[in-house]
Amino acid sequence: MFNFRKKKSPKLFVIGLDCAPPELVFQQYRADLPNFSKLLSRGAYGNLRSCTPCITVPAWSVMTSSKDPGVLGIYGFRNRADYSYDRMTIATGGSVKEPRVWEILGQAGKRVVTIGVPGTYPPRPVTGAQIACFLTPQTVSTDEQGNKITKTFTYPAELSTQVNAWAGGEYIVDVKQFRTDNKDFLLEQIYDMGRQHFKVVREMMKSQPWDFFMFVEMGTDRIHHGFWKFIDATHSKYEPGNKYENSIRDYYKYVDGEIGELLKLLDEDTAVMVVSDHGAKKMDGGICINEWMLRNGWLTLADDRPTRLTPIEKVEVDWSKTRAWGEGGYYARIFMNVQGREPEGMIPPADYEKVRDELAEAIQGIRGPGGEDIGTQVYKPQAIYRKVNGLAPDLIVYFGNLLWRSVGSLGHKEVWTLENDTGPDDANHAQEGIFMYYDPKQNLGGRELKGLEIMDFAPTVLQYFGLPVPADMQGRAIQLQENN
Ligand SMILES: [Zn+2]
């Protein structure tokens, strides 16, 4: 029993805000955000539980395909290319083999537009138009004579020139570097990118025919990572009265205003969804996973321990005496060195599960700087995914339930660090993102929905359009109202 209002020709407009957390949007900032407030009080909304790991690159593809990271074979921003020790590749749109919801809508004859949805570079043919995501390498290049050349980052290809023109010359897919101490410059870039993106969204809304329109803005993610310590009084580096105290609130007010402009362009038969791929929370510090591996006999170096910070790839490892190592990131990926799998594997396959359990328990026991239990969670891919395709990590770890990140480099004085080895970053991802649904002609009374999962998005969209949900989708269409 589902309860979308029946429409002759339904249209759906989806606003994706990367990393937008429920606490800010539904609570702390709500009173300052008139447009969000309208959607919340007349629509239905709830926390949207992300996948594990709750990381942008897998998460948006999980959301739009309703397949878990194991089925997709995408376990993070970077994935193992093979069982060698050093080959990792960035998961591009080409890694996504399962159909995304707009492709299914296209097969049903719907016109679709997608803009900036992570997992869409390189762009693919759609029944409409697609502008690629934040991983697009460049939108403009310069030839030997100094002429600007438009690169292809759209489907159809000729749209790229038009998008660059709307953007005033060069369409920005992401800020240049969000892990920086130059906060004013970062803020300026986030706003410049936002103004450009929302302009392109408006132009696309007006110039393209569409039934389904979805865009994702990355500025929300970038501002959380860059400014969280200034706004969160519980952050260890927070200083009351600092000049960026309202930076994130002001940015949400700006985004709310832009969304208000978009809502004015929608007719009464178009419903709106607002979604995020995960939330955000403060980051207390990092656990230096390979330092820990080294000190606890899992990892052995061929040379002396580095005395200054050195990425694990730059260190000579004695693989014949190494049982496991880890990757840095917002969460840890742990790899085991297994006979017959890795080039110099040493764990006999028969001992794999026993060693994996021993390692999982030891990692769970890594203490914080004060000797405290930080509440680390360790996952086996086979236990949390329907299938484990591609090259999964042997273990996936949330240190301190994501209040701590994973640090891959060596040369740290301790097993934990308060500085990030890849540049300043004050926020980690949180498991819960947001979902909002609003139909201008159906007052849902601001009902709060419970138990929503990221894989529910695609089935909900299909149900909105009155289309069947493929049996292999893992989510379920969201119920907007109680059955009656
Ligand atoms: Zn994200």
Side-chain angles (χ1 to χ4, degrees), residues 128-242:
Q130 180 163 81
I131 302 177
C133 71
F134 75 118
L135 291 177
T136 302
Q138 47 183 177
T139 57
V140 168
S141 67
T142 310
D143 71 9
E144 284 157 12
Q145 282 79 43
N147 301 313
K148 300 270 187 204
I149 313 275
T150 289
K151 308 290 277 190
T152 296
F153 58 96
T154 60
Y155 176 87
E158 55 272 20
L159 179 64
S160 299
T161 309
Q162 177 65 73
V163 174
N164 275 337
W166 283 328
E170 182 173 355
Y171 180 71
I172 307 165
V173 295
D174 195 2
V175 298
K176 285 195 178 65
Q177 170 56 282
F178 67 93
R179 295 195 184 108
T180 171
D181 279 320
N182 192 344
K183 299 297 179 188
D184 287 332
F185 180 57
L186 176 59
L187 210 51
E188 192 185 305
Q189 285 186 78
I190 291 170
Y191 277 95
D192 283 350
M193 175 171 79
R195 282 189 284 264
Q196 222 194 53
H197 284 182
F198 282 104
K199 173 160 193 246
V200 168
V201 167
R202 290 192 301 272
E203 296 293 351
M204 291 288 284
M205 287 168 79
K206 290 185 274 191
S207 63
Q208 300 284 333
W210 56 270
D211 304 295
F212 174 84
F213 192 114
M214 178 173 187
F215 77 93
V216 174
E217 176 54 34
M218 287 304 290
T220 31
D221 181 86
R222 295 341 192 187
I223 202 164
H224 296 149
H225 288 296
F227 291 88
W228 201 269
K229 72 177 175 194
F230 300 110
I231 67 130
D232 182 350
T234 69
H235 195 284
S236 60
K237 294 178 183 168
Y238 171 77
E239 288 171 24
N242 74 77

Side-chain angles (χ1 to χ4, degrees), residues 275-292:
V275 286
S276 67
D277 55 335
H278 50 80
K281 57 163 72 173
K282 67 167 176 165
M283 186 147 66
D284 284 337
I287 301 293
C288 308
I289 183 63
N290 289 316
E291 278 292 340
W292 179 87

Side-chain angles (χ1 to χ4, degrees), residues 79-84 87-88 325 335 341-342 391:
N79 286 268
R80 264 184 114 170
D82 52 36
Y83 284 113
S84 66
R87 288 201 57 222
M88 301 284 284
W325 76 102
F335 304 109
R341 195 182 78 171
E342 274 72 16
L391 279 74

Side-chain angles (χ1 to χ4, degrees), residues 302-366:
D303 295 332
D304 290 343
R305 275 189 56 211
T307 49
R308 47 174 68 190
L309 292 198
T310 313
I312 176 97
E313 301 87 329
K314 300 251 165 76
V315 180
E316 204 64 41
V317 174
D318 183 347
W319 292 108
S320 71
K321 293 180 185 144
T322 289
R323 290 183 293 163
W325 76 102
E327 275 280 318
Y330 293 122
Y331 67 111
R333 276 153 299 172
I334 306 294
F335 304 109
M336 289 162 58
N337 194 22
V338 182
Q339 271 173 22
R341 195 182 78 171
E342 274 72 16
E344 295 174 64
M346 66 169 291
I347 299 168
D351 292 347
Y352 176 79
E353 287 301 341
K354 192 182 75 177
V355 177
R356 183 158 74 152
D357 285 338
E358 186 194 333
L359 180 57
E361 202 183 316
I363 289 171
Q364 203 138 23
I366 299 175

Side-chain angles (χ1 to χ4, degrees), residues 114-128:
T114 81
I115 302 178
V117 184
T120 57
Y121 181 85
R124 286 193 206 174
V126 291
T127 54

